[in-house]
Amino acid sequence: MAITAAEAFRDYETDGVPSSGSHKIKKNDMRNWGAWVEGLINAFTANGGLIFSSKATLDASLAYAANTMAWVIGDATVANNGVYGKVGASGVGSWTRRADLPFSFIIASDVGAGTANAIQATTSIPVSSSALVWTNIFEANTASPVTISFNGGSALTIKTNTNNDVVAGGLVAGMIVLGIVSGSAFRLLNDQVSSAIVAAAEAAQAAAEAAKADAEAAAQDAANNSYDFVRNFNKNGTTSDDANFTTLESLVSGRVIDLQGRKYKVSAKKTGNRYVNGYFVIDNADDAATILYPAKDTLVPLGAPINLMPNERYIGWPQGGPAYYEPTGELLVKMNSGSGHEDTSQYVLTRRSGDGGASFKDYPKALFQRSDGKREMSMAVDNVDGQWLMSTFLQTVGGAVEELKLYGKRANEYRQWGGSSPHPQLRITTTNGSPTIVVYDANHGVKPGDRVRFEQASGTVGGLSISGVFTVLEGGETNFSVTAGSNATSTADQNIDVNVTFIEDDWAEITFSGVSLGSAIVAASALGHTMPTQVSGIAGRRNTAGDIFVTIHGGGVSGPCLVGINNIFRTGAPRAVASVARIGGLTEGLEASIDIDHATGDMFGAIRTEGGYPYRRWYLPFGSAAGSAVTAAGPASPFGAASPIGIRKVPGKNAVYGIMSGSRLPATVDADPIVGLYLLYMTWDDFKNPSSAGFDHIHLQDLHYTDYLVQDRNANGVPGIYVADGGEVLGVLWSDQFGTGTKNEGGQPSTFLQRLYIGTDAVLHSGSSPDISGWFGDTPVLAYWPPEDVTNLSGHFNTDGSLVKRTFRRGLRLAGSTSGTGVYLLTFQDADGTAVNLGHTNYYVVATTYAGAHYCAVWNQTNTGFEVRTYDAAGAAVNRQFMVDVRIDNEWSDNRD
């Protein structure tokens, strides 16, 4: 063929380019095109004109000589229609498609079966890209783009002759259009109506003018924002900028003005413009202290604050919590609830987050609630190498403290060594004739009595199967040991692939040769201790076999003390209180907070004020004695007689944050007395230098003082702080009055948690407050466990239903068995292999066969498990290996917290 009809009849000299001028039809092009069409027709009619309604019928008809021509017309697959030639002798061979059907024009009909913007047209001849298609338009289009489909085929986008989408109103009722199919488009040879084009042009002009106005406004805004309104200000936080702000606000108002992250000393916060990214520094703002008030967007909250414990009285003491475990992202918050300090209703509460404090379970867990006329309160909590540690004290109401206790429980965690895991293989050793198995894991975090589960081990060691639940006998700095059910048959030292689940049982007291922590401290102290009042902080260096430190006060000894405790995670040497000494030799002060810089082993914290002296920070280089700790007094405290304080260093950064609240009556008691909640900031370098000035006090928000017991200062504020996500997120825990009146009337403080982003890429959160005060937001939300946070389990099972490999998550796993050919029952189990009833069927299962042309299906889903049935390619039941993935919404309740 020399030329196509589309080429011969094209609109422009260069197809699709209007500027090339109109195309004049050439007679020789028409002769060539007509000769090609006539040749096809003659070839077709020369053999009798074979016509088939489908390609399948054609392919089944081979009793024709070679080169016989036939048409396929009417096949449901458009591409199958066309002109075919016979290949091979009669009775054998095949048919080969040679050309489209030789129709120059195909008439289509739009009877309104589709819509105005999705046209459906029908033809009596299959549509192809080599034929011109003529169709009517049933109704005017109302939007752009417009599509058309022929004979139920794919929707083609209608393009104008200049390859643009048809504008709204470009096709009108009764209009006849002519076009060709070109890929996924239907290209018109005639064009849309001119009135629509004019309307579109006018709309484009209006849009262009609006865009110009917007651009000019944006340019003006950019010019305003780029102007340095504060270029001549002092910006140092010590020299007053009052006069500069007065001048500025007399010239401009309502502008967004960048404070450039600097401090501006003023007598009062400035509100004449929308100030962002900086601090107003006000002297004598609270008890003669200097306070920094953040401007808009300076601190970036991550969502609304969460109300963890509506209408509950205490958080406990702030220095010792919350506890955060980075590998799993879990956060544990301990609180105390009751009518007051001196009340038998007092008990310990915990709540836990699985995502660093972004959300919490929808219930609290009550621990240690008593009915014997005594109360037990939690004083500190932390996580050391995966071991939750919590201190409490037990007291007879109205009497002296009876006992100071330490509890522990291993955090639930799953690890995989070897295989596709990034971890190396796990080293395990045995001794011939001994049931003891030694497992080498430098950060195991287990103590004697904890339990671990080994699964899918790649082999035996010393003739012992490394499978099942084992109780930990003892641990060391790099290993822990368990006992097998039989003796090893050889001495072995072997690396294997294995999955290990650290099982989280309930809290258990950690004792010292049979006595409590308090009694062990009394016995080890040379300071004349009686039972200490409380543990105010817990910390431990990583991978040191549980050598931890606690801070205490009271017990007949003045000043805060640092207590060294050895061998929490091992029994190779006696677990013991190794040292008790005053921090920096101080003989004044109460609770001390404690944290450890794991990169260096240095310890640090702050000391609560009491009796009018200022609060202090303390720093102890690694290996130094507690009495040698560097202590430094901060500036005047904004908290009066007592100021609880917690301190955290940001990992890898030269930054230290603290948190404090007003734990005292305000100067003027009114109907709604308030105290402040403050974030503290200091560089790590300055923190270690006793000659450096104290923390900056950054005002976060005002707290409402309880009316229930006006003098009960511990009922309000008592904040805590933690750092998560590698130092990018700071979490603040505090309490505030939830209402007025007695506890039964909603007058007790509730417990809140707010996370804020302190990373270098901090951006404004959409829910943040619109002014420079109360950036925590106006409406706290109740704690919840979000639906998208789920337990994901997986398993790979043999043809007999036995296990090949599985995961263990949040105290839950899958077990399998077979009850017939191709019928497998999968059940939920806990760490001990006991069946678990989820209490709901709100879980989702995906099952796949492991290999071969087989398939499987999920049947009979219940609260305790489900069936998987496997089939061969013909649908008959057959035993096959299979894999399942289970997604459980609304995490099942267990006894972990």
Side-chain angles (χ1 to χ4, degrees):
M1 175 182 170
I3 191 170
T4 66
E7 292 175 303
F9 296 108
R10 65 184 181 271
D11 290 321
Y12 308 111
E13 195 59 40
T14 301
D15 192 22
V17 181
S19 60
S20 63
S22 298
H23 173 64
K24 295 180 179 179
I25 298 175
K26 299 178 181 178
K27 292 182 179 180
N28 63 328
D29 285 343
M30 296 305 300
R31 286 192 295 270
N32 289 337
W33 177 72
W36 172 74
V37 173
E38 291 168 352
L40 285 176
I41 295 174
N42 290 335
F44 174 70
T45 57
N47 58 37
L50 298 176
I51 298 178
F52 294 88
S53 60
S54 69
K55 184 175 182 297
T57 306
L58 173 69
D59 289 337
S61 304
L62 299 178
Y64 296 96
N67 297 321
T68 299
M69 305 303 292
W71 286 11
V72 174
I73 182 169
D75 196 299
T77 302
V78 174
N80 288 344
N81 297 289
V83 179
Y84 287 79
K86 179 66 166 52
V87 178
S90 177
V92 297
S94 61
W95 293 93
T96 300
R97 193 178 190 279
R98 301 294 176 84
D100 291 334
L101 294 172
F103 293 106
S104 301
F105 293 92
I106 299 174
I107 298 176
S109 177
D110 172 16
V111 295
T115 66
N117 305 310
I119 300 170
Q120 295 179 13
T122 57
T123 66
S124 58
I125 301 171
V127 171
S128 69
S129 59
S130 62
L132 298 176
V133 182
W134 171 336
T135 185
N136 68 303
I137 299 299
F138 181 80
E139 58 185 324
N141 68 305
T142 59
S144 178
V146 180
T147 63
I148 187 170
S149 64
F150 296 101
N151 306 315
S154 300
L156 308 174
T157 302
I158 299 179
K159 294 289 186 178
T160 67
N161 192 272
T162 52
N163 200 33
N164 294 313
D165 289 333
V166 175
V167 300
L171 303 176
V172 296
M175 183 178 181
I176 301 296
V177 296
L178 183 65
I180 58 173
V181 175
S182 177
S184 61
F186 182 63
R187 187 79 168 268
L188 300 180
L189 298 185
N190 58 329
D191 221 325
Q192 55 191 323
V193 296
S194 59
S195 59
I197 299 174
V198 171
E202 292 173 345
Q205 179 184 6
E209 291 173 350
K212 177 183 178 183
D214 290 343
E216 290 174 348
Q220 184 60 50
D221 287 343
N224 292 341
N225 293 336
S226 64
Y227 184 78
D228 187 359
F229 287 102
V230 294
R231 65 187 184 281
N232 294 321
F233 285 38
N234 294 304
K235 310 179 190 178
N236 56 23
T238 57
T239 306
S240 176
D241 275 313
D242 269 329
N244 291 325
F245 277 106
T246 298
T247 301
L248 173 63
E249 294 187 348
S250 69
L251 297 174
V252 296
S253 62
R255 297 282 183 86
V256 176
I257 295 179
D258 186 1
L259 297 181
Q260 304 168 3
R262 305 288 289 277
K263 303 173 185 176
Y264 300 79
K265 183 177 180 179
V266 293
S267 57
K269 291 180 288 186
K270 305 303 177 182
T271 59
N273 291 285
R274 189 169 182 261
Y275 299 102
V276 300
N277 186 29
Y279 297 90
F280 295 117
V281 181
I282 303 177
D283 288 340
N284 301 316
D286 193 350
D287 278 7
T290 297
I291 305 298
L292 279 65
Y293 292 88
K296 177 76 171 97
D297 303 351
T298 305
L299 298 170
V300 185
L302 296 177
I306 296 175
N307 190 347
L308 299 180
M309 192 64 60
N311 198 28
E312 294 291 350
R313 189 162 187 75
Y314 304 107
I315 295 178
W317 271 244
Q319 296 89 333
Y324 179 64
Y325 186 40
E326 182 84 40
T328 61
E330 289 189 277
L331 180 74
L332 185 69
V333 177
K334 51 85 185 174
M335 294 165 280
N336 299 301
S337 179
S339 298
H341 275 60
E342 302 295 324
D343 190 276
T344 56
S345 68
Q346 189 69 57
Y347 60 94
V348 179
L349 293 163
T350 61
R351 297 204 72 171
R352 179 157 45 182
S353 166
D355 51 17
S359 59
F360 283 78
K361 280 191 172 182
D362 57 2
Y363 65 94
K365 176 68 182 288
L367 306 170
F368 317 132
Q369 188 167 13
R370 309 188 68 86
S371 59
D372 55 4
K374 300 177 182 179
R375 65 185 176 96
E376 192 159 6
M377 295 184 66
S378 174
M379 310 310 296
V381 64
D382 209 340
N383 190 291
V384 178
D385 280 342
Q387 187 84 204
W388 300 113
L389 298 171
M390 179 167 61
S391 72
T392 70
F393 71 79
L394 178 68
Q395 184 183 42
T396 301
V397 174
V401 174
E402 291 186 344
E403 205 67 58
L404 187 68
K405 297 183 177 183
L406 181 66
Y407 291 88
K409 60 186 294 187
R410 181 58 171 83
N412 188 308
E413 187 179 352
Y414 172 87
R415 300 183 196 168
Q416 181 180 7
W417 278 273
S420 60
S421 167
H423 302 291
Q425 289 183 315
L426 187 64
R427 179 189 172 197
I428 295 179
T429 65
T430 59
T431 301
N432 187 30
S434 170
T436 301
I437 300 172
V438 181
V439 181
Y440 287 83
D441 176 9
N443 61 342
H444 56 78
V446 292
K447 66 182 185 300
D450 287 347
R451 297 186 303 152
V452 295
R453 175 182 289 278
F454 298 97
E455 290 187 306
Q456 290 86 53
S458 58
T460 61
V461 180
L464 296 176
S465 173
I466 310 301
S467 179
V469 176
F470 297 87
T471 299
V472 176
L473 296 178
E474 60 179 314
E477 294 186 10
T478 61
N479 61 75
F480 63 92
S481 61
V482 299
T483 299
S486 59
N487 294 331
T489 57
S490 65
T491 297
D493 188 335
Q494 189 172 333
N495 294 331
I496 65 173
D497 294 346
V498 66
N499 297 333
V500 179
T501 301
F502 296 88
I503 298 172
E504 185 167 8
D505 294 315
D506 212 348
W507 293 96
E509 185 182 359
I510 300 173
T511 59
F512 299 78
S513 300
V515 302
S516 68
L517 173 62
S519 296
I521 291 173
V522 171
S525 176
L527 299 176
H529 264 106
T530 55
M531 184 63 63
T533 304
Q534 65 171 259
V535 167
S536 54
I538 300 173
R541 295 194 181 101
R542 292 175 182 161
N543 307 335
T544 56
D547 292 343
I548 71 168
F549 295 85
V550 301
T551 49
I552 63 170
H553 84 93
V557 174
S558 59
C561 293
L562 180 67
V563 179
I565 303 173
N566 292 345
N567 308 324
I568 289 293
F569 299 161
R570 62 185 173 197
T571 57
R575 181 184 296 146
V577 173
S579 60
V580 183
R582 290 187 175 95
I583 297 174
L586 291 174
T587 58
E588 57 184 13
L590 298 178
E591 300 100 312
S593 62
I594 183 173
D595 197 7
I596 289 182
D597 180 6
H598 292 285
T600 63
D602 298 346
M603 286 185 285
F604 59 94
I607 301 170
R608 177 184 174 188
T609 63
E610 185 69 22
Y613 57 84
Y615 68 81
R616 292 179 172 89
R617 65 182 187 271
W618 66 275
Y619 166 71
L620 184 64
F622 177 72
S624 299
S628 302
V630 175
T631 62
S637 170
F639 307 103
S643 56
I645 177 172
I647 299 292
R648 289 291 183 265
K649 181 183 182 298
V650 180
K653 296 184 180 181
N654 188 29
V656 177
Y657 284 95
I659 189 70
M660 300 180 76
S661 70
S663 187
R664 50 99 178 130
L665 286 176
T668 302
V669 179
D670 54 28
D672 187 25
I674 60 173
V675 292
L677 179 68
Y678 297 93
L679 180 68
L680 312 182
Y681 172 77
M682 195 176 193
T683 68
W684 178 236
D685 291 336
D686 285 339
F687 184 93
K688 296 184 292 184
N689 182 359
S691 64
S692 295
F695 287 97
D696 285 337
H697 295 74
I698 303 171
H699 179 267
L700 297 182
Q701 69 174 32
D702 287 330
L703 304 178
H704 302 85
Y705 210 83
T706 179
D707 293 330
Y708 180 56
L709 290 175
V710 176
Q711 296 293 335
D712 191 357
R713 292 176 298 195
N714 288 304
N716 191 80
V718 287
I721 192 170
Y722 68 98
V723 178
D725 294 347
E728 295 295 297
V729 173
L730 197 67
V732 177
L733 182 74
W734 82 99
S735 68
D736 195 4
Q737 182 161 326
F738 193 62
T740 60
T742 66
K743 177 174 181 173
N744 291 335
E745 296 170 340
Q748 296 306 295
S750 294
T751 302
F752 299 89
L753 184 135
Q754 174 70 64
R755 297 160 63 244
L756 58 138
Y757 185 50
I758 56 174
T760 55
D761 300 322
V763 294
L764 174 64
H765 187 273
S766 60
S768 58
S769 180
D771 54 42
I772 62 175
S773 64
W775 62 272
F776 276 89
D778 297 327
T779 308
V781 297
L782 292 178
Y784 71 104
W785 192 259
E788 62 270 18
D789 193 283
V790 298
T791 297
N792 288 299
L793 302 176
S794 63
H796 180 183
F797 295 89
N798 282 310
T799 55
D800 62 356
S802 63
L803 181 71
V804 178
K805 189 176 184 179
R806 65 182 166 192
T807 61
F808 187 95
R809 292 289 187 275
R810 293 179 179 159
L812 200 64
R813 64 178 187 167
L814 292 170
S817 61
T818 183
S819 59
T821 302
V823 181
Y824 301 90
L825 176 62
L826 270 70
T827 57
F828 300 108
Q829 293 182 347
D830 63 14
D832 297 313
T834 303
V836 170
N837 188 324
L838 298 182
H840 60 77
T841 58
N842 192 21
Y843 61 89
Y844 309 91
V845 183
V846 176
T848 56
T849 52
Y850 184 65
H854 305 274
Y855 64 97
C856 59
V858 177
W859 287 64
N860 300 329
Q861 187 170 315
T862 70
N863 294 346
T864 58
F866 54 92
E867 285 185 2
V868 172
R869 300 188 181 184
T870 55
Y871 308 89
D872 64 15
V878 63
N879 292 334
R880 295 296 300 173
Q881 288 192 36
F882 63 93
M883 296 179 291
V884 294
D885 289 289
V886 183
R887 177 184 185 273
I888 306 173
D889 288 340
N890 304 322
E891 181 185 0
W892 67 294
S893 299
D894 58 10
N895 66 352
R896 295 179 307 138
D897 61 349

